[in-house]
Amino acid sequence: MPQDTILFQPMAARPAPASQFGPIAWLRANLFGGWKDTAITLSLLAVLLAVVPNLIEWLLINATFGGDDETCRQNAGACWPFLQAKFQVLMVGVYPQDLSWRPAIAALALLVLAGFTYADRIRGIALIVAWALLPVFALIMIGGAFGMQEVDQSLWGGLMLSVLLALVGVIVSIPLGVLLALGRHYGSPAVKAICVAFIELVRGVPLITILFMASVMMPLFLPPDLVINNLLRIQIGMILFSSAYMAEVVRGGLQAIPKGQTEASLALGVSPARTIIFVVVPQALRHVLPPLIGRCIALFKDTSLVIIVGLLDFLGMVRGAALDPEWLGFQAEAYVFAAFVYWLICYSLSLYGRALERRGPAGSKR
């Protein structure tokens, strides 16, 4: 090597300017990026400073965590013993107390299966079979069968009833919505006309109207010997309502699939039916995963409407508990608890939807 040769020595990487990273850079980029962002941020901060201290004071500082209604009336904060006294009513309604272990087992099965599903410990056919059998198991445990004491459905209520209506509604309405979407997209003119008529008819009617028709009108059209209880009629109405919206969501996914996907599958000798089932539908469902999760969340919240047809769901039990003469004046605690439970369940569904998007091709850049 000649003595006048200079070896290249790369300099060590210098840290980025302090203005480009760290909390100050984050605040500047996300909250104070311009005069509009600064005005909005300061306005929200003013609202939070006006609301949050009073809320914390009511929820925690001045709250009553033990005692009875008289103890609560001596304090200005929230009365949490009210929720303790009404917890069972809010969860299972007027279900017999000595049999409350049965819905508890059904709820435990739901939580275990939901945990396995979220952790991706169960997949494919096993996942579908498990979720299809869960409502059957829950109905057997809650209603009674195989020698267990039967509990009349008029005694079902609370969060148990809301979750059961939503669970059965989602599990049944999704495949029914897929069939309606396929019929509208690929069906013969007669099938397409039937699917379109059903979807547009149901979507053009409010859910309250469907619930009234299921509760009041449906018995008038049934044969005299055929008696369907009110809960099952309401469940059918909710399934039909949800399936119509699910069908339109899935149809949007079907339209997003390039025609070349179907043509390539057919060119490889795959039958049209198998092409739709194994090529088109899975991709379509991935495309519409966020709105499908949104429909599931909406269906759960729509269960609060069943109170108008005589079923005491979770929100109905909250209203009933707030009207207890012994605990009058503590309805705010009941509604705060209801809002928290609804948010917790809906946010859990939203998190699961995001997890599905990250796992599947829908979560990757295309």
Side-chain angles (χ1 to χ4, degrees):
M1 178 180 297
Q3 292 183 351
D4 56 350
T5 301
I6 300 175
L7 295 177
F8 175 73
Q9 295 291 340
M11 296 177 61
R14 292 182 298 178
S19 60
Q20 300 300 316
F21 70 97
I24 296 179
W26 186 89
L27 289 174
R28 184 178 299 169
N30 295 278
L31 301 179
F32 301 98
W35 69 270
K36 292 182 181 178
D37 294 343
T38 302
I40 294 174
T41 300
L42 293 178
S43 301
L44 291 177
L45 283 176
V47 173
L48 290 176
L49 289 175
V51 173
V52 171
N54 295 329
L55 186 62
I56 293 177
E57 187 177 1
W58 183 79
L59 286 173
L60 300 174
I61 298 176
N62 294 331
T64 303
F65 294 94
D68 54 12
D69 58 315
E70 293 299 331
T71 308
C72 292
R73 296 183 199 285
Q74 297 173 2
N75 297 323
C79 177
W80 300 125
F82 167 75
L83 294 180
Q84 183 180 358
K86 298 296 181 182
F87 186 76
Q88 181 167 352
V89 174
L90 297 179
M91 292 297 107
V92 297
V94 292
Y95 197 88
Q97 291 189 5
D98 57 333
L99 302 177
S100 57
W101 58 272
R102 285 161 44 177
I105 290 179
L108 180 62
L110 172 62
L111 293 176
V112 170
L113 182 56
F116 275 93
T117 303
Y118 184 81
D120 202 20
R121 298 292 185 184
I122 180 172
R123 298 178 179 180
I125 299 299
L127 179 66
I128 297 174
V129 172
W131 279 104
L133 292 180
L134 181 62
V136 179
F137 174 75
L139 288 172
I140 291 175
M141 291 300 298
I142 297 172
F146 304 111
M148 292 188 294
Q149 178 183 347
E150 183 177 355
V151 179
D152 191 81
Q153 292 181 353
S154 62
L155 302 178
W156 301 11
L159 185 61
M160 174 186 71
L161 181 61
S162 298
V163 173
L164 188 64
L165 287 172
L167 182 66
V168 177
V170 169
I171 291 176
V172 179
S173 65
I174 288 181
L176 188 57
V178 171
L179 291 177
L180 288 169
L182 292 176
R184 184 168 185 174
H185 197 73
Y186 294 106
S188 63
V191 173
K192 187 177 296 185
I194 294 173
C195 294
V196 171
F198 173 81
I199 293 171
E200 299 303 332
L201 177 64
V202 174
R203 289 206 311 157
V205 180
L207 178 58
I208 294 178
T209 305
I210 292 180
L211 294 180
F212 268 119
M213 293 183 66
S215 178
V216 180
M217 301 296 292
M218 186 183 293
L220 301 178
F221 301 107
L222 295 176
D225 298 334
L226 180 59
V227 179
I228 302 177
N229 64 63
N230 190 40
L231 177 59
L232 182 56
R233 296 198 303 269
I234 296 303
Q235 182 71 81
I236 294 174
M238 296 191 70
I239 290 173
L240 296 178
F241 182 82
S242 177
S243 63
Y245 282 89
M246 294 284 188
E248 286 303 277
V249 171
V250 176
R251 190 169 69 89
L254 294 175
Q255 292 177 340
I257 304 301
K259 193 176 180 181
Q261 295 278 336
T262 305
E263 294 174 346
S265 179
L266 295 175
L268 292 174
V270 182
S271 66
R274 294 176 66 86
T275 297
I276 293 175
I277 295 173
F278 297 108
V279 177
V280 176
V281 171
Q283 295 186 76
L285 292 179
R286 289 193 191 102
H287 278 292
V288 297
L289 197 53
L292 271 182
I293 295 296
R295 284 306 313 162
C296 296
I297 293 174
L299 180 61
F300 172 67
K301 292 189 292 185
D302 285 343
T303 58
S304 60
L305 296 176
V306 300
I307 190 174
I308 63 174
V309 289
L311 298 182
L312 292 177
D313 70 314
F314 180 51
L315 195 58
M317 282 300 172
V318 168
R319 293 171 180 167
L323 295 177
D324 186 346
E326 184 180 355
W327 294 94
L328 277 179
F330 303 113
Q331 64 272 14
E333 289 83 347
Y335 285 109
V336 167
F337 179 68
F340 173 74
V341 171
Y342 274 108
W343 171 83
L344 182 63
I345 295 176
C346 295
Y347 187 62
S348 300
L349 289 172
S350 179
L351 287 180
Y352 178 61
R354 294 181 194 174
L356 285 179
E357 292 180 37
R358 288 194 297 268
R359 293 172 194 165
S364 61
K365 294 181 179 179
R366 291 183 292 270

